[in-house]
Amino acid sequence: MRSDNVTKGVQQAPHRSLMNALGMTEEEKNRPLIGIVNSYNEIVPGHMNLDKITEAVKLGVAMAGGTPVVFPAIAVCDGIAMGHVGMKYSLVTRDLICDSTECMAMAHQFDGLVCIPNCDKNVPGLLMAAARLNVPSIVLTCGYQLGGQCMAGEFVDIDDVYEAIGAVACGSKTFEELVDMTNHAITTPGVCAGLGTANSMHIVAEGLGMALPGNAPILADSAKLYRYCELVGKRIVEMVENDEKPRNIITKEAIENAIMVVLAIGGSVNTVRHLSAIATEAEIDMDVVKTYEKFADTIHLLTAVRPNGPYRTENLEAAGGCRAVMKRLEKYLHLDAMTVSGKTVGENIKDAKVLRDEVIKPMEDPQSYRPGVGILRGNLCPNGAIVKLSAVPNELPSFEGKAVIFDGEDEAIKVGLGQGKIKPGDVIVLRNMGPKGGPGTVFACSFVAALNGANLASQVAVVTDGELSGLNRGIIVGQVMPEAAMGGPLAVIREGETIKLDFVNRTMNVDIPQEELDKRVAEWKPLDRELAPGYLAQYHELVQPIEQGAVLGYRSFRDKK
């Protein structure tokens, strides 16, 4: 076992003394040493109960004959970090989580890992770590929160609160109504309701084969989740004994399976970047952006879970969850792909059933023939841009408007909405918000929610190189590649120029001659700004393009080749 490097031999006597100090018995030192990456903290609602989850996993590990050892991973609440400088510290934590997990696993020579994430950046960060380390690993995602009923009798969740901000601004809701919604929107621990990035990545983890079948979606703090904890603890010991490693599971075929699931559920656009990063860490030479395009005309939208429709995350779980979605996709998936269950995808979904046809529709009669996520191409996004087609009204095959440009979300909210600069028919451009430009990708979530609350969602379009919430709805194009801070065309378009979006042919172009656009790009110079010393300055220097997953440059697989 790997842990023999710290538990066996004469030279390891001091190591054993230190383990004695932890209270470990000789028997415990001789068992498989299982690192449990616990993302618990007291500021993130999706992580506030992970201490109890961890204890249940420890019990499963011990029951199977392993020695559980807990260590932490940081976690940022995107919602609390949103709308101020803290948002720049969200995406960047994904790489810190990956790097710090590598440090702990290598320094202490764990035989296997149980990764316990929940929110947006922890799930991909720990999947990246598992792919990089390639020691037996299993992911346990820990569930969604429930909304509640406000005094007016309306059922609300966190997404409704975001949109209510714009409704208050335009006078369609009162401040008192906003306070009522705020106080009733979240009634349990767990990740934000709906198919935002967190719930989408939970489903990705299962679709990828790195979580046990039936893990997603799952209600946080439920008895069902605690039963999974013990199963996960027992299973990781078996994986160590059988030497079942992540790179036997995270393969090109597995990533294709995960992409098909994302398209079918209308998952978060941010899955594109995260799956690109996971592929990079697993040293899989594939273009994830093009793979989304490859399946976009084959895989239709099967679910109508918020923001794609009226159903909620708990309805998706009740309908059969990820396994049921994969059952609908059975003839398209790579059924021989291995999973952490020790069985293939085909074996895992053999007996799966769709329990509510109206929630998970068949491919022959989908919610929409559009895929959930689309990749746009054109002179404004030569390397692609991402749109959540499932959240764009079906009656809008295209959109055309004059560019109204803002360098950041704050200016767009204060000037664009607050001073009435934004009008119906505009294409709002938010630039210098990407991984390098932020630095650390900046969410456009608050601005987009405010647009929805002001009833402008279907009357304007938003184009940004920043990050979008998977909960956003409307005509929103994000993660424009290359980003403005890397000299992409978005950096050089001008106020009032016409931008054309075509969702049928999946194109996005600015209506100026190509020669003029090329001239501007050639003459472009980076913004002259001084970054304060610290992690963001380091990140700015190292981060790679979005299409490579925005991984840090020192570990870009493509750069090594």
Side-chain angles (χ1 to χ4, degrees):
M1 295 188 296
R2 276 165 48 94
S3 58
D4 289 350
N5 292 324
V6 295
T7 61
K8 298 286 194 299
V10 174
Q11 297 300 321
Q12 281 68 37
H15 306 61
R16 292 192 293 276
S17 290
L18 292 165
M19 289 182 170
N20 290 340
L22 297 171
M24 276 193 193
T25 64
E26 289 303 310
E27 183 181 4
E28 286 174 312
K29 290 194 284 270
N30 289 324
R31 292 173 174 178
L33 205 58
I34 307 299
I36 301 178
V37 194
N38 178 11
S39 304
Y40 165 78
N41 65 39
E42 294 183 344
I43 189 62
V44 183
H47 291 234
M48 62 181 289
N49 62 321
L50 300 194
D51 53 343
K52 294 188 290 182
I53 298 294
T54 298
E55 289 302 313
V57 171
K58 286 174 64 178
L59 180 61
V61 170
M63 289 170 65
T67 300
V69 181
V70 179
F71 65 91
I74 62 169
V76 164
C77 178
D78 283 9
I80 295 175
M82 202 174 293
H84 55 90
V85 68
M87 193 66 249
K88 296 183 178 184
Y89 287 87
S90 173
L91 175 62
V92 301
T93 64
R94 184 194 70 178
D95 297 82
L96 280 175
I97 291 161
C98 178
D99 291 348
S100 59
T101 301
E102 176 196 359
C103 291
M104 290 296 289
M106 295 302 294
H108 303 101
Q109 292 292 285
F110 296 120
D111 297 301
L113 293 175
V114 176
C115 301
I116 306 180
N118 217 25
C119 286
D120 292 26
K121 307 309 180 296
N122 287 76
V123 183
L126 289 175
L127 282 167
M128 289 163 63
R132 184 193 296 181
L133 287 161
N134 201 34
V135 300
S137 302
I138 190 168
V139 172
L140 173 67
T141 57
C142 298
Y144 59 87
Q145 63 192 209
L146 290 177
Q149 191 171 9
C150 61
M151 298 296 288
E154 181 184 3
F155 190 89
V156 294
D157 59 28
I158 187 65
D159 199 32
D160 296 304
V161 178
Y162 283 121
E163 294 193 1
I165 296 169
V168 170
C170 72
S172 61
K173 281 191 182 295
T174 65
F175 178 73
E176 289 71 23
E177 287 175 313
L178 174 61
V179 171
D180 181 25
M181 293 174 72
T182 301
N183 290 337
H184 295 91
I186 302 174
T187 58
T188 69
V191 301
C192 294
L195 287 178
T197 303
N199 277 314
S200 295
M201 287 304 301
H202 292 188
I203 292 169
V204 163
E206 184 174 334
L208 197 60
M210 286 297 293
L212 286 179
N215 187 189
I218 193 168
L219 177 62
D221 241 13
S222 62
K224 178 182 174 183
L225 176 56
Y226 284 103
R227 290 195 297 271
Y228 266 92
C229 294
E230 289 191 22
L231 292 175
V232 165
K234 292 176 181 178
R235 178 64 191 135
I236 189 61
V237 177
E238 295 175 354
M239 292 178 70
V240 169
E241 291 170 349
N242 298 331
D243 199 29
E244 300 172 50
K245 295 180 177 177
R247 293 195 188 181
N248 296 329
I249 296 167
I250 303 175
T251 61
K252 181 179 179 181
E253 291 74 21
I255 290 176
E256 288 185 346
N257 283 347
I259 288 170
M260 285 187 266
V261 172
V262 169
L263 293 172
I265 65 171
S268 170
V269 296
N270 300 320
T271 60
V272 180
R273 180 182 58 225
H274 295 322
L275 280 168
S276 297
I278 292 163
T280 296
E281 292 295 355
E283 299 194 25
I284 301 168
D285 194 9
M286 68 183 292
D287 189 323
V288 169
V289 176
K290 287 184 177 178
T291 307
Y292 270 82
E293 291 177 285
K294 170 184 169 183
F295 291 114
D297 292 319
T298 305
I299 305 301
H300 310 312
L301 178 68
L302 304 185
T303 71
V305 176
R306 284 169 59 92
N308 309 326
Y311 298 109
R312 299 180 183 273
T313 317
E314 55 264 37
N315 302 133
L316 181 58
E317 180 183 4
C322 182
R323 285 182 75 226
V325 173
M326 295 180 80
K327 187 67 175 179
R328 291 291 202 206
L329 299 174
E330 191 168 16
K331 71 177 184 180
Y332 302 95
L333 297 173
H334 301 286
L335 298 177
D336 58 349
M338 286 303 301
T339 73
V340 292
S341 71
K343 299 178 180 178
T344 65
V345 168
E347 291 172 314
N348 283 345
I349 66 172
K350 180 181 178 182
D351 298 322
K353 290 182 174 61
V354 177
L355 302 177
R356 291 185 61 183
D357 287 336
E358 73 277 17
V359 178
I360 306 173
K361 302 195 77 175
M363 284 287 286
E364 299 75 28
D365 181 28
Q367 295 286 350
S368 173
Y369 284 96
R370 284 178 173 176
V373 175
I375 306 297
L376 305 183
R377 299 276 182 175
N379 66 0
L380 196 52
C381 53
N383 294 346
I386 309 171
V387 59
K388 191 164 189 173
L389 289 172
S390 55
V392 175
N394 281 325
E395 65 272 15
L396 285 174
S398 62
F399 191 92
E400 179 178 326
K402 302 292 185 184
V404 181
I405 301 173
F406 301 100
D407 284 312
E409 185 182 51
D410 289 347
E411 184 187 7
I413 293 173
K414 291 174 184 175
V415 178
L417 288 175
Q419 298 177 20
K421 184 178 178 181
I422 295 169
K423 308 294 183 187
D426 288 341
V427 176
I428 302 148
V429 176
L430 305 177
R431 62 188 180 191
N432 293 307
M433 292 174 62
K436 196 171 190 71
T441 302
V442 181
F443 261 56
C445 179
S446 296
F447 172 67
V448 172
L451 281 179
N452 291 333
N455 296 316
L456 287 169
S458 61
Q459 300 180 65
V460 298
V462 178
V463 175
T464 179
D465 52 6
E467 184 171 349
L468 301 174
S469 168
L471 296 175
N472 286 147
R473 58 184 174 88
I475 311 165
I476 312 157
V477 180
Q479 298 180 47
V480 174
M481 301 172 266
E483 63 171 293
M486 289 187 170
L490 197 68
V492 298
I493 62 170
R494 295 170 183 169
E495 190 94 4
E497 292 179 335
T498 299
I499 295 175
K500 298 179 178 180
L501 303 169
D502 184 337
F503 302 120
V504 176
N505 297 303
R506 298 186 196 128
T507 60
M508 180 169 70
N509 292 287
V510 58
D511 193 17
I512 59 176
Q514 189 62 45
E515 289 182 5
E516 170 63 18
L517 187 59
D518 291 342
K519 179 175 178 291
R520 292 184 196 176
V521 169
E523 294 173 349
W524 171 84
K525 293 181 180 179
L527 290 175
D528 185 17
R529 59 177 180 170
E530 186 175 339
L531 296 172
Y535 184 52
L536 289 185
Q538 298 173 43
Y539 186 89
H540 173 79
E541 291 299 318
L542 290 169
V543 70
Q544 297 299 292
I546 299 169
E547 54 268 36
Q548 290 185 23
V551 297
L552 300 188
Y554 56 76
R555 65 172 191 274
S556 174
F557 172 60
R558 292 177 183 85
D559 287 351
K560 292 176 185 175
K561 290 192 75 176

